Amino acid sequence: LAWDGHALIFENGKPYVLSMFTPALVVEIVNDLRLDTTTHLEDTIAHRAEIDKCGKAFFNKTYPKHDLSKFSDEEATAYQLNWFHNTSGDLWDYAIAHHYRENDHHVQHYADASGQLPNDLDTKVPHSTKCEIICDATACIKRRNPGKNIYQRLEIIRSSYADPNGMCSSWPKNFLADLIDICDKTLKKGSDAG
């Protein structure tokens, strides 16, 4: 499909968006094509349910705002294309940057314009958000890293934040220590309860 400076092309069954304009405009145009985002939306709904299940079990808390931005026009199409059609590019970069800005359970939310995290990240991120990060990591284990435990998943997440897009270079050591401490206390409390 091609139109006025934009093209959605399919190569080997994979869609690619080509544009001379901004990613926001591409999002608008691709959404106008009514790309079926059902798979992404179902996946997000299941993930959010798993977050709440984990939150109730570990912290007697739910996270009703978790990943709501994945339902937005800025993110839904890009997630569908990236996760279920293995595409990336400007549209994905725009969507993931939007996701990080909107969701404080991602450390990139706290990064400065150059992508650097503050050294005092452990004091900037509220305790309840650290608990949400742990629930997110736990829920992701089921989908992305079956057979791993929460400590292994946190290390995978920590190392992935030195991502190729340069969104963040590394986690400050105290932040990871805080998350591990919360996990230790939560797991100990669970084992003490029987």
Side-chain angles (χ1 to χ4, degrees):
L1 301 171
W3 65 99
D4 218 14
H6 295 84
L8 179 63
I9 62 168
F10 290 82
E11 186 175 299
N12 298 325
K14 294 182 183 179
Y16 294 88
V17 177
L18 305 176
S19 174
M20 299 171 9
F21 300 100
T22 65
L25 185 56
V26 174
V27 168
E28 182 181 319
I29 291 168
V30 172
N31 283 338
D32 283 347
L33 293 173
R34 304 293 184 246
L35 178 70
D36 183 5
T37 57
T38 306
T39 309
H40 155 67
L41 299 177
E42 289 172 350
D43 184 70
T44 301
I45 290 167
H47 176 68
R48 287 171 38 81
E50 195 63 36
I51 295 294
D52 280 347
K53 181 179 171 184
C54 176
K56 287 175 190 174
F58 290 167
F59 306 112
N60 198 29
K61 180 175 173 62
T62 61
Y63 300 96
K65 294 182 180 181
H66 185 87
D67 281 351
L68 283 179
S69 67
K70 286 185 179 179
F71 297 105
S72 71
D73 288 344
E74 291 83 1
E75 296 181 27
T77 298
Y79 268 92
Q80 179 71 27
L81 290 171
N82 184 271
W83 285 20
F84 301 102
H85 300 284
N86 298 314
T87 64
S88 59
D90 289 347
L91 185 63
W92 174 249
D93 293 345
Y94 174 81
I96 198 68
H98 180 271
H99 188 72
Y100 293 154
R101 275 193 313 276
E102 297 295 315
N103 293 279
D104 66 354
H105 65 273
H106 290 285
V107 296
Q108 292 92 333
H109 180 82
Y110 302 91
D112 64 21
S114 71
Q116 294 299 307
L117 292 170
N119 288 330
D120 60 345
L121 185 64
D122 55 313
T123 61
K124 288 200 182 310
V125 178
H127 180 78
S128 62
T129 302
K130 291 174 186 173
C131 295
E132 184 176 1
I133 291 168
I134 290 166
C135 290
D136 195 25
T138 302
C140 287
I141 288 171
K142 283 186 157 184
R143 289 186 310 165
R144 298 185 192 150
N145 306 105
K148 301 282 185 193
N149 65 41
I150 185 61
Y151 300 101
Q152 292 166 321
R153 177 63 189 162
L154 288 174
E155 179 53 33
I156 290 167
I157 294 169
R158 186 204 59 75
S159 64
S160 74
Y161 282 125
D163 70 33
N165 296 328
M167 295 299 286
C168 284
S169 57
S170 65
W171 279 9
K173 289 181 182 180
N174 289 346
F175 185 70
L176 183 58
D178 264 8
L179 294 179
I180 289 171
D181 185 54
I182 293 168
C183 288
D184 288 346
K185 288 177 181 170
T186 302
L187 293 174
K188 182 179 181 342
K189 184 172 66 175
S191 66
D192 288 348

